[in-house]
């Protein structure tokens, strides 16, 4: 079965850093475009970043551009999101998903999410 399992969330100070991981199984990860999306309390899903199967092409939402970096290790079936210069507005449940710009859980495969809280 297809599985996407996020980890690495937690509490960070404003200006701090966290690295999220997504372990994939049950499909050909190396052939799949992947995304990170997030959902803050009372808000809808917000696409954050996406990367092509070969990792050459990457896209970022304006809200995180210059602060977050998406990467992947296809040999380990793992997707990463390096989050630097964190802001309170980054507080959300973060999901990994298949697709380059995953914005709805009606499409593709999604993990269970990992919570990121940025607070002083």
């Amino acid at each position: 079965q297809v599985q996407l399992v996020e980890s690495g969330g937690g509490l960070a100070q404003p200006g701090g850093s966290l690295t999220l991981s997504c372990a994939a199984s049950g499909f050909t990860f190396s052939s799949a475009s992947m995304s990170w999306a997030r959902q803050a309390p009372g808000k809808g899903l917000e696409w954050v970043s996406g990367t092509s199967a070969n990792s050459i092409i990457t896209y970022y939402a304006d809200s995180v551009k210059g602060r977050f970096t998406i990467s992947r290790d296809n040999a380990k079936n793992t997707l990463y999101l390096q989050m630097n210069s964190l802001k309170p507005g980054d507080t959300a449940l973060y999901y990994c998903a298949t697709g380059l710009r995953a914005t709805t859980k009606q499409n593709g495969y999604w993990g269970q999410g990992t919570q990121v809280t940025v607070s002083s």
Side-chain angles (χ1 to χ4, degrees):
Q1 71 278 39
V2 172
Q3 295 268 19
L4 295 170
V5 181
E6 301 94 335
S7 62
L11 178 64
Q13 294 278 114
S17 298
L18 285 174
T19 300
L20 307 184
S21 299
C22 173
S25 61
F27 68 102
T28 306
F29 177 79
S30 60
S31 297
S33 296
M34 297 292 296
S35 295
W36 288 97
R38 66 189 183 185
Q39 187 166 27
K43 302 290 186 180
L45 281 172
E46 177 192 13
W47 172 82
V48 172
S49 184
T51 185
S52 60
N54 61 14
S55 81
I56 294 175
I57 304 299
T58 58
Y59 296 101
Y60 298 93
D62 288 342
S63 58
V64 307
K65 197 171 298 180
R67 300 187 298 119
F68 291 9
T69 302
I70 190 169
S71 63
R72 64 195 296 164
D73 187 338
N74 285 347
K76 297 179 178 178
N77 283 6
T78 303
L79 180 74
Y80 303 97
L81 186 67
Q82 176 66 50
M83 309 165 68
N84 298 325
S85 302
L86 284 163
K87 304 175 180 179
D90 296 321
T91 295
L93 187 64
Y94 283 72
Y95 298 94
C96 67
T98 57
L100 196 59
R101 293 194 62 149
T103 57
T104 172
K105 292 185 180 180
Q106 305 280 22
N107 298 322
Y109 296 101
W110 292 71
Q112 83 290 346
T114 185
Q115 178 67 40
V116 171
T117 301
V118 184
S119 176
S120 59

